[in-house]
């Protein structure tokens, strides 16, 4: 009998590991799809700007719709995840994101563009909350720091989406291009969603040294630390959003790059983010969280100064890549650390502050571009990256 019980226990563990592996693959696909669709929209911003006839500031306000829609719906999405489960909400939001990406090129004014971007942003933000929450549960169950690998999938999807967008920019209209993204998104969701819906969200293993993911009320000190990591996420998301929305315009309008080359700017950034996040687990194990955050913020600051102020296209592309390497692991580390400190409440606080950076970034860059210049406006990314490094350094003892 002991041998039979031992065999059954081993089989149960093996089956559980199999489910966790399939769940990890499915979530990785959704992270990649999110990056792919978002990047496909990003590289067509210059063409849609011309179609609507919007000024830089008007475009910035319209782009505000993406971040505004995301931030407004994040807390609601958290409640929906609690009621219906993170897996179901992930699939539903992926469908909505795939459908809404086809709407921007159908508009003919900045006001109409901003309106449809509210819906696109709501789907984008909700999907991010849902699959990040599912990923936090999986990280806790596996007890390995694999969160950067999911965000690497997002970056890889962004790189592919931007690269594909650059290839088709001269031959396909934005309407046909983004409608193609809708078809791809629905197909991928149908395939990966079946796996996700068949697997129950995992629970963390019993361990007195591991903080459970069940809801709990953080004390004032813990809440302060969570807000600190949220501010780091904010500085990071500001930079990601700025490069996503304005890198192509900077290369095309300030450095006279061709539309196809301008689209490659975000692809270079996404490639560097992918490389940085693929090595994120080993980096965290070797350097620890504080040195990873400080080094990443400082690297991103230097890279963005080069990207914004370089006199040539190729130097700017190099700057974007350095920035991507620096920013790569700041957001995943901040969100995961906040979740370990305060559970779902910590994830919600850090995520809301983080995506608040995307809410702040597009209009801020747009207005500064009108007041000064787009290159000068982009140096604000360097300033906030340096701020993230300083916050991590100054709070290293408390965070430890």
């Amino acid at each position: 009998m002991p041998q039979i019980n031992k065999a059954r226990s081993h089989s149960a563990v093996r089956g559980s590991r199999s489910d966790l592996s399939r769940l990890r693959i499915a979530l990785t696909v959704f992270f990649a799809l999110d990056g792919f669709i978002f990047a496909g929209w990003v590289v067509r911003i210059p063409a849609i700007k011309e179609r609507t006839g919007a000024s830089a500031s008007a475009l910035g306000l319209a782009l505000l719709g993406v971040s505004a829609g995301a931030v407004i719906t994040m807390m609601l999405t958290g409640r929906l995840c609690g009621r219906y489960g993170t897996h179901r909400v992930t699939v539903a939001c992926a469908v909505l994101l795939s459908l809404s990406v086809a709407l921007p090129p159908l508009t003919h004014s900045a006001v109409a563009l901003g309106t449809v971007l509210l819906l696109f942003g709501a789907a984008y933000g909700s999907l991010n909350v849902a699959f990040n929450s599912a990923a936090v549960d999986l990280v806790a169950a596996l007890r390995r720091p694999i969160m950067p690998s999911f965000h690497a999938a997002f970056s890889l999807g962004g790189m592919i989406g931007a690269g594909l967008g650059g290839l088709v920019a001269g031959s396909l209209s934005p309407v046909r291009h983004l409608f193609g993204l809708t078809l791809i998104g629905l197909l991928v969701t149908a395939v990966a969603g079946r796996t996700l819906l068949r697997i129950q969200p995992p629970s963390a293993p019993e361990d007195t040294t591991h903080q459970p993911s069940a809801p709990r009320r953080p004390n004032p000190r813990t809440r302060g630390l969570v807000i600190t990591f949220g501010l780091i996420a904010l500085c990071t998301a500001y930079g990601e959003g700025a490069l996503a929305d304005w890198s192509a315009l900077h290369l095309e309008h300030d450095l006279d790059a061709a539309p196809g080359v301008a689209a490659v700017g975000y692809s270079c950034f996404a490639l560097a983010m992918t490389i940085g996040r693929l090595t994120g687990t080993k980096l965290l194990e070797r350097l620890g969280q504080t040195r990873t955050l400080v080094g990443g913020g400082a690297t991103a600051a230097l890279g963005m100064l080069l990207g914004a102020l370089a006199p040539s296209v190729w130097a700017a592309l190099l700057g974007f890549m350095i920035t991507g390497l620096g920013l790569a692991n700041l957001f995943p580390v901040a969100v995961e650390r906040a979740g370990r400190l305060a559970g779902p409440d910590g994830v919600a606080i850090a995520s809301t502050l983080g995506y608040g950076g995307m809410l702040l970034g597009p209009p801020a860059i747009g207005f500064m571009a009108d007041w000064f210049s787009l290159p000068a406006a982009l140096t604000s990314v360097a300033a906030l990256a340096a701020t993230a490094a300083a916050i991590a350094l100054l709070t290293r003892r408390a965070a430890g």
Side-chain angles (χ1 to χ4, degrees):
M1 286 294 294
Q3 291 180 347
I4 295 176
N5 289 335
K6 183 177 181 180
R8 287 178 177 174
S9 175
H10 176 72
S11 176
V13 171
R14 183 173 60 185
S16 175
R17 285 291 177 181
S18 175
D19 285 345
L20 293 180
S21 296
R22 290 190 293 122
L23 176 58
R24 181 177 181 179
I25 293 172
L27 285 175
T28 299
V29 170
F30 277 106
F31 271 85
L33 177 65
D34 187 48
F36 178 79
I37 291 178
F38 186 74
W41 139 250
V42 163
V43 299
R44 301 317 296 258
I45 288 177
I48 294 175
K49 178 180 182 294
E50 293 183 5
R51 186 182 184 90
T52 59
S55 65
S57 58
L59 179 63
L61 288 174
L63 294 174
L64 176 64
V66 177
S67 298
V71 172
I72 290 171
T73 57
M74 285 179 69
M75 297 307 296
L76 174 61
T77 304
R79 298 189 187 100
L80 291 175
C81 288
R83 182 170 183 177
Y84 299 106
T86 56
H87 294 181
R88 291 182 179 180
V89 177
T90 295
V91 173
C93 292
V95 171
L96 182 59
L97 181 70
S98 300
L99 294 174
S100 62
V101 74
L103 299 178
L106 302 179
T107 61
H108 295 85
S109 69
V111 174
L113 177 62
T115 301
V116 301
L117 288 181
L118 279 171
L119 177 61
F120 179 72
Y124 175 74
S126 297
L127 179 59
N128 275 263
V129 170
F131 62 39
N132 269 297
S133 297
V136 167
D137 290 339
L138 181 58
V139 168
L142 292 175
R143 299 169 66 181
R144 290 191 61 211
I146 62 168
M147 182 64 84
S149 69
F150 291 115
H151 290 261
F154 173 85
S155 298
L156 179 60
M159 180 189 69
I160 295 173
L164 179 62
L167 290 176
V168 304
S171 58
L172 284 181
S173 68
V175 174
R176 292 184 177 182
H177 177 199
L178 298 188
F179 181 72
L181 296 186
T182 293
L183 296 180
I184 294 172
L186 293 176
L187 177 61
V188 172
T189 300
V191 175
R194 292 183 63 186
T195 299
L196 202 62
L197 294 175
R198 289 177 178 177
I199 302 176
Q200 292 295 322
S203 57
E206 294 294 333
D207 185 353
T208 57
T209 65
H210 177 76
Q211 297 184 13
S213 59
R216 58 186 178 275
R217 189 180 187 86
N219 59 45
R221 178 181 179 276
T222 300
R223 182 175 292 273
L225 289 175
V226 169
I227 293 174
T228 296
F229 283 101
L231 291 176
I232 293 175
L234 183 152
C235 294
T236 306
Y238 179 99
E240 292 188 48
L243 281 166
D245 290 344
W246 295 101
S247 61
L249 284 171
H250 170 55
L251 294 174
E252 186 172 343
H253 293 172
D254 297 319
L255 299 177
D256 297 323
V261 176
V264 171
Y266 184 72
S267 183
C268 289
F269 173 76
L271 172 62
M273 292 277 284
T274 303
I275 295 172
R277 287 171 170 174
L278 285 173
T279 59
T281 298
K282 292 184 178 180
L283 189 68
L284 286 167
E285 292 173 345
R286 180 179 295 271
L287 299 180
Q289 290 181 342
T290 297
R291 283 189 287 181
T292 297
L293 293 173
V294 174
T299 300
L302 294 175
M304 198 59 228
L305 286 176
L306 175 61
L309 303 178
S312 69
V313 171
W314 304 113
L317 292 176
L318 176 62
F320 291 163
M321 293 190 71
I322 296 173
T323 304
L325 287 173
L327 293 180
N329 295 301
L330 269 64
F331 192 92
V333 169
V335 171
E336 193 272 338
R337 181 57 175 160
R340 288 181 61 84
L341 285 170
D345 285 344
V347 174
I349 293 171
S351 297
T352 301
L353 286 172
Y355 286 102
M358 289 190 178
L359 177 66
L360 174 66
I365 295 292
F367 283 118
M368 284 189 287
D370 275 350
W371 294 336
F372 307 105
S373 67
L374 183 53
L378 289 173
T379 61
S380 63
V381 175
L384 286 183
T387 299
I391 291 173
L393 183 63
L394 293 174
T395 60
R396 62 189 183 279
R397 292 183 179 179

